[in-house]
């Protein structure tokens, strides 16, 4: 089977390509880079593109997809596009401190169900949910559509084994972001923590199989039945990841 088209069946009957292209980039990266990289990714065979309102690059990613449709490289129905709605995920007060609020996730989920029923989206899932939050949705009275996936940080240093087992038991696909290690942004990550791609075990396996540590980390997820996002804005690496 052509690896470019390998997919996993979602509980709603749609299919998600097992390898996705992540488009998030830190603020200092020009947004135009997202257009360039997404075009390269589609040419390399990626059909699953992951973005979000928060990344502030959906317009640029959309331009890339449109141009590849116009060139006849892909049809719209070939592309599995993931967005994450929401205007201001991380509101802060005048001192830059996060403002917390109590939101009933079940009410948000009902709004997502309406979007699916209205035909605005084909599939609906969640991101960064733990088991307790997933159960809150799954046990909701009057649930119409259950989440088809849960996108979380997942890599050999944070393998999410318990969450993966739970998701599998509920027919929810786990989608791994930061699969090659996190972005190491100073505000989130301890700069002294080890760098995944420098890991000696990954390094020795890469040597043994004549691959890169990144490819070993991606393959690890695929063998566990996890849909994995690979993020790179470098042409050589985008092609190598596919």
């Amino acid at each position: 089977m052509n690896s470019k088209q390998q997919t996993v069946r979602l509980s709603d009957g749609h299919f998600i390509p097992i390898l996705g292209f992540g488009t998030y980039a830190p603020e200092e990266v020009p947004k135009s880079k997202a257009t360039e990289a997404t075009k390269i990714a589609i040419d390399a065979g990626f059909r699953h593109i992951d973005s979000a309102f928060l990344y502030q690059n959906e317009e640029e990613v959309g331009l890339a997809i449109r141009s590849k449709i116009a060139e006849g490289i892909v049809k719209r129905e070939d592309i599995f596009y993931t967005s994450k709605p929401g205007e201001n995920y991380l509101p802060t007060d005048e001192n830059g401190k996060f403002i917390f609020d109590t939101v009933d996730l079940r009410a948000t989920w009902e709004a997502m169900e309406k979007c699916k029923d209205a035909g605005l989206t084909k599939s609906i899932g969640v991101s960064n949910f733990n088991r307790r939050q997933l159960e809150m949705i799954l046990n909701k009275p009057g649930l119409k559509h259950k989440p088809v996936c849960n996108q979380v940080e997942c890599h050999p240093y944070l393998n999410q084994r318990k969450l993966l087992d739970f998701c599998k038991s509920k027919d929810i696909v786990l989608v791994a972001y930061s699969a090659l290690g996190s972005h190491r942004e100073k505000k989130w990550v301890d700069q002294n923590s080890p760098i995944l791609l420098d890991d000696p075990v990954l390094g020795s396996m890469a040597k043994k199989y004549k691959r890169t540590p990144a490819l070993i980390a991606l393959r690890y997820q695929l063998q566990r039945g996890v849909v994995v996002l690979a993020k790179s804005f470098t042409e050589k690496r985008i092609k190598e990841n596919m």
Side-chain angles (χ1 to χ4, degrees), residues 92-97 99:
T92 51
D93 62 19
E94 61 275 12
N95 303 314
K97 291 265 185 278
I99 301 167

Side-chain angles (χ1 to χ4, degrees), residues 9 19 27 35 68 71 86 95 105 122 136 139 145-146 156 161 170 174 179 183 199 211 214 219 224 226 230 232:
R9 190 179 186 278
L19 186 66
E27 280 168 19
T35 305
K68 289 297 159 189
E71 282 176 37
N95 303 314
L105 293 174
K122 288 188 172 180
M136 191 195 295
N139 299 332
H145 305 291
K146 72 177 197 179
R161 187 173 52 85
K170 300 294 180 187
L174 196 83
H183 291 284
D199 185 84
R211 296 287 183 267
R219 181 73 191 185
R224 313 165 76 208
V226 170
S232 173

Side-chain angles (χ1 to χ4, degrees), residues 21-38 50-58 60-61 84 177-178 182-185 187-188 229-234 238:
F21 181 68
T23 63
Y24 173 77
E27 280 168 19
E28 58 273 15
V29 176
K31 297 297 176 205
S32 60
K33 276 280 195 208
T35 305
E36 212 176 294
T38 305
D50 183 84
S51 190
F53 180 87
L54 182 73
Y55 305 169
Q56 296 181 325
N57 66 5
E58 288 199 288
E60 288 77 7
V61 172
K84 303 169 198 84
Y177 70 76
S178 293
S182 76
H183 291 284
R184 306 184 70 80
E185 284 186 44
K187 63 179 172 181
W188 306 117
L229 302 175
K231 195 200 79 64
S232 173
F233 280 8
T234 315
I238 292 171

Side-chain angles (χ1 to χ4, degrees), residues 166-237:
F166 176 73
C167 286
K168 282 182 173 174
S169 76
K170 300 294 180 187
D171 201 11
I172 295 170
V173 171
L174 196 83
V175 179
Y177 70 76
S178 293
L180 307 178
S182 76
H183 291 284
R184 306 184 70 80
E185 284 186 44
K186 286 190 172 66
K187 63 179 172 181
W188 306 117
V189 177
D190 173 3
Q191 297 303 296
N192 297 317
S193 61
I195 293 170
L196 178 73
L197 294 181
D198 293 346
D199 185 84
V201 175
L202 285 182
S204 67
M205 288 182 74
K207 264 201 193 77
K208 178 180 171 183
Y209 294 107
K210 299 183 174 57
R211 296 287 183 267
T212 61
L215 293 184
I216 302 291
L218 294 177
R219 181 73 191 185
Y220 162 73
Q221 300 291 12
L222 299 182
Q223 288 183 199
R224 313 165 76 208
V226 170
V227 168
V228 62
L229 302 175
K231 195 200 79 64
S232 173
F233 280 8
T234 315
E235 183 165 359
K236 178 178 168 288
R237 288 198 196 127

